[in-house]
Amino acid sequence: MMGFFHIEDILKLALKKNRRKIVVAGKNNSFAVDAALQSRKMGFGDPIFCGKEFSGLKTKENILFDDSDATQALCKAIGMVQDGDADIVLNTNPLTPDFLELAAGTNRSNSRVMNYINIFSSPKEQRLTFFTDTLVNSNPEILKKIGIIHNSIPVADVLGIKNPNIAALAPVEFVNPAIGSTMDAAILSKMSQRGQFGKSVVEGPLAMDNAESAIAAKQKGVDSIVPGNVDIYLFPDVESANITAQFLSFVFQVKFCGILTGTRIPVIIQSSLEQNDSWIYNIALAVSMLKGR
């Protein structure tokens, strides 16, 4: 694990990759446009703008499908990536069920799940930390939680976190059949013990106090390497995940970036709890996740 890996270092990772064609579609979001242009200046992105929304760009960019509205252009942008004419879609539209269905594509038939991972430098230890799922799955059942873990481990690996420690959160740290999240967490923990997540360790159920503190965990009878050393916080539902992330973002001004995983094609979006400057990090992270240099 890289103990001092920060969000800013994600840009350095992207610079080690080949320049990627990023097709930008949706609303003319000035922060997203600036980030796409910045990725070209830095050397890891090659933005292509789609739709009449971008006809007013001050820079002399070639606009594809300049007669298409934001929704039409986004569909065409997805088609470009599917056909191999671009590498990544950058969607500046608000996230909708229709878009998620487009992004999911055939993944529904092979049981994969989409989830959003928010990434930040922990205020306590200044190391990269993951929250998931903060955006897509409102109340994931056990099969989706398994998929979320499988989606998250490769992202951690790219960011230098080998075999991440994963806290399966719940309101309490003991298994209570009346609280579904504790049952799910216990199953995930047992799967981890049997090596079903490789060498990554899933511990749960863990309440937030004993996820954060090894001392608190031992006082509660939890003996594990995960408490006090968590890389990925797996939340029981999107409400608890999003509210926790919002608290860190808006009260403590913690800088988040994020990535949507489990899609059939690489997609860049931004969640509402991220600051405007997160676009460049989201682009760099998507580029870093692509296979090959």
Side-chain angles (χ1 to χ4, degrees):
M1 177 170 53
M2 290 184 176
F4 296 98
F5 199 101
H6 301 284
I7 284 182
E8 289 75 10
D9 295 320
I10 295 173
L11 301 178
K12 298 176 185 177
L13 282 180
L15 289 171
K16 297 178 182 179
K17 296 281 189 173
N18 288 333
R19 187 186 296 267
R20 300 293 187 172
K21 291 182 179 179
I22 302 165
V23 55
V24 183
K27 298 292 184 181
N28 186 355
N29 180 309
S30 61
F31 297 103
V33 170
D34 288 347
L37 296 174
Q38 185 183 354
S39 74
R40 178 167 62 196
K41 185 176 180 180
M42 294 183 71
F44 55 82
D46 185 13
I48 305 166
F49 295 93
C50 287
K52 59 185 178 183
E53 285 279 337
F54 301 99
S55 59
L57 290 182
K58 294 180 180 179
T59 56
K60 294 182 179 179
E61 302 290 337
N62 291 323
I63 312 299
L64 301 181
F65 313 120
D66 56 6
D67 59 343
S68 298
D69 63 24
T71 301
Q72 294 169 338
L74 182 58
C75 291
K76 292 176 180 179
I78 290 173
M80 287 180 64
V81 176
Q82 289 173 335
D83 295 339
D85 297 323
D87 299 301
I88 307 170
V89 171
L90 191 157
N91 173 27
T92 60
N93 275 344
L95 199 63
T96 64
D98 288 342
F99 170 74
L100 288 176
E101 187 169 339
L102 280 173
T106 56
N107 282 347
R108 289 178 299 172
S109 65
N110 61 23
S111 301
R112 289 198 65 188
V113 60
M114 286 188 296
N115 64 291
Y116 198 74
I117 303 169
N118 272 118
I119 302 167
F120 63 101
S121 293
S122 169
K124 183 172 67 174
E125 297 178 332
Q126 291 300 304
R127 74 181 197 187
L128 287 186
T129 305
F130 292 22
F131 281 0
T132 194
D133 176 13
T134 55
L135 192 62
V136 180
N137 298 285
S138 60
N139 189 24
E141 36 75 31
I142 184 65
L143 288 177
K144 285 191 175 181
K145 289 177 181 177
I146 292 169
I148 289 169
I149 291 174
H150 282 304
N151 287 347
S152 302
I153 290 173
V155 181
D157 184 72
V158 165
L159 294 179
I161 305 172
K162 310 297 181 183
N163 308 316
N165 292 327
I166 303 168
L169 296 175
V172 293
E173 70 281 348
F174 52 85
V175 180
N176 183 343
I179 304 175
S181 60
T182 68
M183 298 290 286
D184 288 351
I187 293 170
L188 296 171
S189 182
K190 178 57 70 174
M191 290 176 66
S192 173
Q193 292 176 18
R194 300 284 171 87
Q196 290 178 257
F197 299 113
K199 293 183 179 180
S200 298
V201 178
V202 181
E203 183 60 61
L206 290 176
M208 186 60 83
D209 63 333
N210 45 65
E212 275 294 284
S213 169
I215 295 174
K218 287 183 179 179
Q219 289 175 344
K220 300 284 184 68
V222 179
D223 185 16
S224 169
I225 65 169
V226 175
N229 192 32
V230 179
D231 298 303
I232 301 174
Y233 289 87
L234 175 68
F235 283 81
D237 53 56
V238 76
E239 291 183 5
S240 58
N242 199 273
I243 290 171
T244 304
Q246 284 187 47
F247 185 79
L248 290 178
S249 177
F250 297 119
V251 176
F252 291 102
Q253 296 297 300
V254 171
K255 180 185 289 186
F256 284 91
C257 65
I259 187 167
L260 181 65
T261 67
T263 56
R264 60 173 168 164
I265 59 172
V267 174
I268 300 165
I269 61 172
Q270 185 190 60
S271 77
S272 60
L273 58 87
E274 295 166 27
Q275 293 86 350
N276 291 323
D277 62 357
S278 74
W279 279 110
I280 188 62
Y281 300 104
N282 293 6
I283 293 170
L285 184 54
V287 169
S288 300
M289 287 300 300
L290 293 178
K291 294 182 179 179
R293 287 189 58 82

